Every structure is written in structure tokens, then in C-alpha cells.
């Protein structure tokens, strides 16, 4: 378990909760999924740009000549464009989600492979990583066909991934509780200096 710290199982819970919430929303509101996602991404970029602008403004540099100022300006403009014209960026979002799903699937497969001796039924968790990986490939290979039913497909994928990730988090938490218990049971032996 050298790959995991005692706190790392919490990241599995956070990722699981986030994926479950987004998955349920996408499953029950599938028609406007892409436009809503583009607008949410735009809002996030816009807020990040405003935050960067405030930080750049408070620094000793000229706001528009500093790297932070340029990044803030680009973020604000890009955020506004994404919010006001989501239909232009729909195809790009499908590709971005394909890449994100590929990454998430590979990450889970690598994590399970590294801890396969410490968990029961590692094949189940590897299958949980294969699902987003395969869906990510489908997104990248057939983006135009995906647009019509992306909400349902992405919703189901994220819900299954969330449940799998949650189970893996509980397994890691249980492992660290067992390791801590074993460490506490060690007998204390006093060694005298000669």
C-alpha cells in the first residue's frame, strides 16, 4: 500500500460523491446536458478569471502587463463566450469528456493494479475502471453520434463509476484501519544502553 497515504481514501469518497451528483443530474435532465455543461464550465472559468484578476490587481505588478492579468483577461472573456454561446462549444465538450473519462478509467485501473493483493475481487474494480475508459473511447471515436444521447450515457457511466469508487474507498479505509490496529498491538520492549 505504498501508493496510498492514510488520508487518500477520502479522495475516493469525494470523487464518488461528485460523480454521483453529476451522473444523477445528467440522467434525469439529458436533453440540455451539453449546453448546461458548457455553461457550467464557462461559469467556472469566469469565476477563476475574476479571482485571478483580483489577485493580480492586489499585487505590485501592472494588472494588464502581468501574467496573472493576461490570464485573468483571457479567462473572463472565454467564460463569457462559453456562457453566452454554448452551442458553439458542444462538440469540444464531447471530446473533453472523452479525454476525462479515459483518464479517470486509467487512473482507477492503475490504482487497483497497485493494490490488488490488498483487496478482495480486484477484477470487479478493474471492470469499474474499464467502463469509463471504454465510454471515453466511444466519445472520442463517435462524437457526433454521442451528442444525441450523451446525458443518459454519461449519467449511467458516472453513477456506476461513483458506486465503484465508493466501494474502493471503503476497502482502502478498512486496510488502513487494520494496519493501524496491527501497529498498536506491538509489544513494547525496553532496551538498555550499554
Amino acid at each position: 500500500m505504498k501508493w496510498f497515504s492514510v488520508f487518500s481514501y477520502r479522495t475516493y469518497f469525494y470523487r464518488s460523491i461528485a460523480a454521483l451528483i453529476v451522473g444523477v443530474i445528467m440522467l434525469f435532465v439529458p436533453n440540455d446536458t451539453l449546453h448546461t455543461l458548457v455553461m457550467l464550465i464557462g461559469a467556472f472559468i469566469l469565476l477563476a478569471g475574476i479571482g485571478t484578476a483580483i489577485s493580480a490587481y492586489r499585487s505590485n505588478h501592472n494588472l494588464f502587463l502581468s501574467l496573472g492579468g493576461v490570464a485573468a483577461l483571457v479567462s473572463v472573456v472565454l467564460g463569457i463566450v462559453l456562457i453566452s454561446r454554448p452551442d458553439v462549444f458542444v462538440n469540444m465538450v464531447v471530446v473533453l469528456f472523452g479525454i476525462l473519462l479515459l483518464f479517470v478509467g486509467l487512473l482507477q485501473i492503475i490504482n487497483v493494479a497497485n493494490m490488488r493483493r490488498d483487496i478482495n475481487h480486484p477484477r470487479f474494480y478493474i471492470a469499474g475502471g474499464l467502463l469509463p475508459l471504454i465510454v471515453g473511447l466511444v466519445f472520442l471515436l463517435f462524437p457526433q453520434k454521442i451528442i444525441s444521447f450523451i446525458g443518459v450515457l454519461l449519467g449511467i457511466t458516472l453513477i456506476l463509476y461513483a458506486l465503484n469508487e465508493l466501494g474502493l474507498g471503503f476497502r482502502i479505509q478498512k486496510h488502513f484501519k487494520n494496519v493501524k490496529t496491527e501497529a498498536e498491538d506491538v509489544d513494547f520492549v525496553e532496551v538498555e544502553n550499554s
Side-chain angles (χ1 to χ4, degrees):
M1 294 300 286
K2 65 181 180 179
W3 293 92
F4 302 96
S5 71
V6 71
F7 300 109
S8 68
Y9 67 86
R10 291 183 181 142
T11 63
Y12 284 84
F13 296 146
Y14 300 145
R15 285 195 306 255
S16 172
I17 291 167
L20 187 62
I21 291 169
V22 174
V24 168
I25 290 170
M26 288 182 176
L27 190 60
F28 290 106
V29 191
N31 296 334
D32 294 331
T33 299
L34 283 177
H35 286 83
T36 304
L37 285 174
V38 171
M39 292 174 73
L40 286 173
I41 292 167
F44 176 76
I45 292 172
L46 177 63
L47 291 174
I50 292 170
T52 305
I54 291 169
S55 297
Y57 176 75
R58 290 183 178 170
S59 70
N60 296 330
H61 304 291
N62 183 328
L63 176 65
F64 295 107
L65 296 179
S66 70
L67 184 60
V70 172
L73 184 63
V74 170
S75 295
V76 168
V77 170
L78 181 60
I80 290 170
V81 170
L82 286 169
I83 292 169
S84 63
R85 297 293 313 261
D87 51 324
V88 175
F89 298 94
V90 166
N91 288 335
M92 186 173 68
V93 169
V94 172
V95 172
L96 289 175
F97 265 104
I99 292 169
L100 179 65
L101 287 170
L102 271 173
F103 176 74
V104 164
L106 280 173
L107 183 65
Q108 179 153 341
I109 291 169
I110 290 167
N111 284 339
V112 172
N114 286 330
M115 55 183 280
R116 66 184 171 278
R117 292 185 185 101
D118 299 313
I119 59 173
N120 296 329
H121 313 293
R123 289 182 185 153
F124 172 76
Y125 296 107
I126 287 178
L130 280 174
L131 178 67
L133 187 127
I134 291 168
V135 172
L137 282 172
V138 170
F139 274 42
L140 292 174
L141 296 174
F142 309 104
Q144 293 303 320
K145 293 181 181 179
I146 293 298
I147 289 174
S148 60
F149 62 95
I150 189 171
V152 174
L153 181 63
L154 201 53
I156 292 169
T157 301
L158 287 174
I159 290 169
L160 292 174
Y161 168 76
L163 296 174
N164 194 284
E165 192 81 352
L166 187 64
L168 199 54
F170 280 121
R171 295 286 184 197
I172 293 170
Q173 181 183 26
K174 182 179 175 184
H175 170 78
F176 278 108
K177 282 184 179 180
N178 290 341
V179 169
K180 186 178 180 183
T181 304
E182 290 171 10
E184 290 174 355
D185 291 340
V186 175
D187 292 332
F188 176 73
V189 178
E190 188 172 326
V191 178
E192 293 182 17
N193 290 335
S194 40

